[in-house]
Amino acid sequence: MASTKVDIYDPDLYVDGPIHEIFAELRRTEPVYWQEMPDEPGYWAVLRHADLCAVAKDPAIFSAEEMGVVLEDPEPEQLAQSRNMMLMMDPPRHTEHRRPLVGSFKAKAIGQMEEQVRGICRSILDQVPADGEVEFVHDVAAMLPNQVVGELMGLPPEDGERIRRWAEESTSAQDPELAAADRPRGMTGMAMYAMELAAARRQEPPRDDLTSLILAGDFGHGPMTDMEFASFFVQLVTAGNDTTKTMLSSGLHALLDHPDQLAELRADRSLIPGAVEEILRYANPLHYFRRTALADTEIGGQAIAAGDKIAMMYTSANRDEDVFENPQSFDIHRSPNPHLSFGIASHFCLGVHLARLEGRVFFEELLDRFPTITQTGPARRIRSNLNNGLKELPVRLERA
């Protein structure tokens, strides 16, 4: 294995922004890059678009279930619990667990939620103070997915803030400002909540929401246990909350950095769907997901041994020069735009249509409501080699 020349694992390296120049050089010189880790085996970082797609499309060799999807090896008990998340399942279990939910997330079903999502957006923006000064990440962007997921799952509105906090903690544990202190840590707190929710809802008549659908579903072996539901709940709620919050806040940040393109969106709302796709490419919410090799193989000509960790580096693949023209440029007109921020193959994001709807409606309502948006201080990023997001974006939203 090659010796590490740049420590792309170090979370501190990402505080000032994604390491795009480093990734560009590695794509040219060592596109399947060996990275050491402290206190445990290192990993192969897969940096090119084509190689990442090849890994994602071959779960028989590159497993999500074997050791999970983050680089740090989990403890056995934690691994056993996490295998009840679809994100960490391989076929055929993944297929069995995904099938009962597909209908609820199809484009037609999600399209019927547009007015509901628009009403939530308007309610959130109504709460912006008169002087317009807000910390956009948590005071605005985080509110939309939190309320949408809460309504989808039939959760009490008063539980929204702690669920949002748990979702953030579960993906931001490397940042001491966001990691849990004396509270149950991220996923643990949410899983305990979900088990209590499942037990309570089993005693009630079914409702027209995802919680009842999941509890009544046949996932290949009959209904889920409360513990299985808890793991399932953690993934759905965390993905629905944290990645969408990042899409909205990083999206506004990118547009403020490119005022000419923001002006284009104000003049022509039909450009917003394309802008959402470019935001997802340019500022993908997660840097990577892990796979584990189940057999000796190769990626892009690099020999990989059974048991090796592989990091599918979306942040690099989304700027691959072999796929994207001027990949370091933000361009709301980019077409085609085959970014990998929703994943690919069997693990392609179940909530893709919901995320796109939330992004489109949110920016429509934001630009309609506030003709002037000004950044009033420096943005601050999450200290994380996993979560590619902001933790602070101070702005002034000025009404007409």
Side-chain angles (χ1 to χ4, degrees):
M1 294 180 181
S3 60
T4 297
K5 303 179 187 67
V6 181
D7 186 0
I8 64 172
Y9 175 80
D10 182 3
D12 287 328
L13 196 61
Y14 298 83
V15 172
D16 293 330
I19 52 175
H20 294 302
E21 291 184 4
I22 293 173
F23 284 147
E25 176 63 15
L26 291 177
R27 282 194 301 275
R28 187 180 67 82
T29 60
E30 297 182 62
V32 181
Y33 181 73
W34 177 255
Q35 173 62 54
E36 299 285 356
M37 286 178 62
D39 304 321
E40 62 179 277
Y43 61 95
W44 295 104
V46 177
L47 301 170
R48 292 187 299 204
H49 192 283
D51 292 337
L52 193 156
C53 290
V55 170
K57 291 177 180 179
D58 194 357
I61 296 293
F62 302 108
S63 170
E65 193 163 332
E66 180 72 10
M67 290 298 289
V69 296
V70 298
L71 290 168
E72 296 77 19
D73 287 339
E75 295 295 328
E77 182 179 350
Q78 180 187 357
L79 178 62
Q81 293 174 356
S82 69
R83 282 175 173 158
N84 291 318
M85 300 182 188
M86 277 198 304
L87 184 66
M88 303 185 197
M89 293 180 184
D90 296 330
R93 287 184 69 231
H94 179 267
T95 307
E96 293 169 348
H97 281 72
R98 188 180 175 105
R99 186 181 297 115
L101 302 177
V102 167
S104 298
F105 286 94
K106 286 184 175 179
K108 183 176 180 180
I110 294 300
Q112 295 172 354
M113 295 178 61
E114 178 165 343
E115 288 310 307
Q116 179 184 2
V117 171
R118 196 173 296 279
I120 294 172
C121 286
R122 289 173 175 171
S123 174
I124 292 166
L125 298 177
D126 283 344
Q127 297 173 43
V128 170
D131 64 7
E133 299 283 346
V134 295
E135 193 289 287
F136 192 82
V137 177
H138 296 98
D139 295 346
V140 181
M143 304 300 289
L144 173 60
N146 193 32
Q147 292 187 42
V148 169
V149 170
E151 292 189 14
L152 274 172
M153 299 295 292
L155 307 179
E158 60 270 21
D159 293 345
E161 174 53 27
R162 59 174 169 160
I163 290 170
R164 182 209 63 76
R165 187 185 68 231
W166 283 328
E168 183 172 68
E169 290 170 355
S170 69
T171 61
S172 306
Q174 293 171 325
D175 190 317
E177 293 184 15
L178 300 177
D182 56 344
R183 301 183 300 271
R185 183 176 291 271
M187 289 187 180
T188 304
M190 197 187 300
M192 293 168 60
Y193 173 92
M195 290 183 68
E196 294 174 2
L197 173 69
R201 290 289 296 270
R202 291 187 200 279
Q203 305 304 313
E204 302 176 5
R207 304 183 196 175
D208 185 19
D209 60 30
L210 278 180
T211 297
S212 287
L213 176 69
I214 294 168
L215 290 175
D218 184 346
F219 294 88
H221 60 281
M224 288 185 178
T225 65
D226 288 357
M227 184 171 291
E228 288 172 330
F229 173 81
S231 295
F232 215 65
F233 179 95
V234 166
Q235 181 194 325
L236 288 176
V237 172
T238 299
N241 267 278
D242 211 54
T243 56
T244 304
K245 174 195 72 177
T246 295
M247 173 183 68
L248 302 179
S249 54
S250 295
L252 178 61
H253 190 224
L255 290 169
L256 291 173
D257 280 347
H258 299 84
D260 55 333
Q261 297 188 60
L262 177 57
E264 286 191 77
L265 294 186
R266 289 193 180 280
D268 185 356
R269 297 293 194 272
S270 71
L271 297 175
I272 289 179
V276 169
E277 295 304 308
E278 180 65 348
I279 287 164
L280 287 161
R281 181 197 74 89
Y282 187 82
N284 46 282
L286 295 171
H287 286 302
Y288 78 89
F289 273 138
R290 170 188 173 174
R291 296 293 185 262
T292 302
L294 299 181
D296 292 348
T297 185
E298 63 87 25
I299 303 170
Q302 172 63 56
I304 307 293
D308 281 357
K309 303 175 188 178
I310 295 95
M312 301 185 295
M313 302 300 302
Y314 305 113
T315 303
S316 175
N318 276 350
R319 302 205 181 194
D320 189 335
E321 299 81 0
D322 290 339
V323 177
F324 303 97
E325 185 177 355
N326 299 320
Q328 306 299 346
S329 298
F330 180 75
D331 181 5
I332 62 172
H333 301 283
R334 188 179 297 278
S335 181
N337 191 349
H339 67 78
L340 298 174
S341 300
F342 288 122
I344 193 169
S346 60
H347 279 279
F348 187 71
C349 178
L350 184 65
V352 57
H353 299 301
L354 179 58
R356 286 172 168 155
L357 175 68
E358 289 176 299
R360 174 176 64 80
V361 172
F362 178 84
F363 283 111
E364 287 173 354
E365 293 296 326
L366 182 73
L367 299 183
D368 282 347
R369 185 70 61 96
F370 302 105
T372 304
I373 303 175
T374 308
Q375 187 171 332
T376 57
R380 298 176 64 222
R381 303 188 63 82
I382 299 169
R383 178 190 181 271
S384 177
N385 59 25
L386 170 66
N387 191 326
N388 183 25
L390 302 175
K391 62 181 176 183
E392 189 173 310
L393 179 63
V395 300
R396 181 182 302 112
L397 305 173
E398 298 181 47
R399 296 178 172 86

